[in-house]
């Protein structure tokens, strides 16, 4: 809490420091990273790859010894 107040204090004309929550929220929003665009999977971009994987991977979700590399 003290770090938040220390980081987001504003100077007043007479040289004092005050915490103003609305100004602090604006600064926090400006500092926050922008969300990255949603990444799409290779299988959604490549129908041939998707079809190949659906044909060759087990449907139960459990890897067979061949798929696991054993």
């Amino acid at each position: 809490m003290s770090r938040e107040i220390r980081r987001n204090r504003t100077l007043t004309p007479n040289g004092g420091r005050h915490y103003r929550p609305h100004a602090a929220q604006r600064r926090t929003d400006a500092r926050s990273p922008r969300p990255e665009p949603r990444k799409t999977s290779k299988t959604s971009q490549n129908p041939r790859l998707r079809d190949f994987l659906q044909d060759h991977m087990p449907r139960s979700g459990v890897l067979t010894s061949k798929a696991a590399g054993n």
Side-chain angles (χ1 to χ4, degrees):
M1 183 82 124
S2 64
R3 197 177 314 162
E4 161 72 14
I5 292 171
R6 200 171 344 120
R7 187 175 189 186
N8 289 303
R9 289 183 295 190
T10 56
L11 287 175
T12 59
N14 63 1
R17 293 182 180 265
H18 293 280
Y19 181 78
R20 292 198 165 84
H22 294 288
Q25 185 63 48
R26 279 194 306 271
R27 281 194 298 279
T28 300
D29 292 343
R31 280 192 298 259
S32 67
R34 302 293 179 254
E36 292 183 16
R38 189 171 198 166
K39 296 180 181 177
T40 57
S41 67
K42 289 185 179 184
T43 55
S44 67
Q45 296 173 1
N46 188 338
R48 286 180 53 205
L49 175 61
R50 182 181 55 242
D51 294 341
F52 175 83
L53 290 174
Q54 287 177 344
D55 292 342
H56 291 86
M57 294 297 288
R59 299 225 185 266
S60 65
V62 178
L63 292 175
T64 61
S65 61
K66 184 177 178 182
N70 296 334

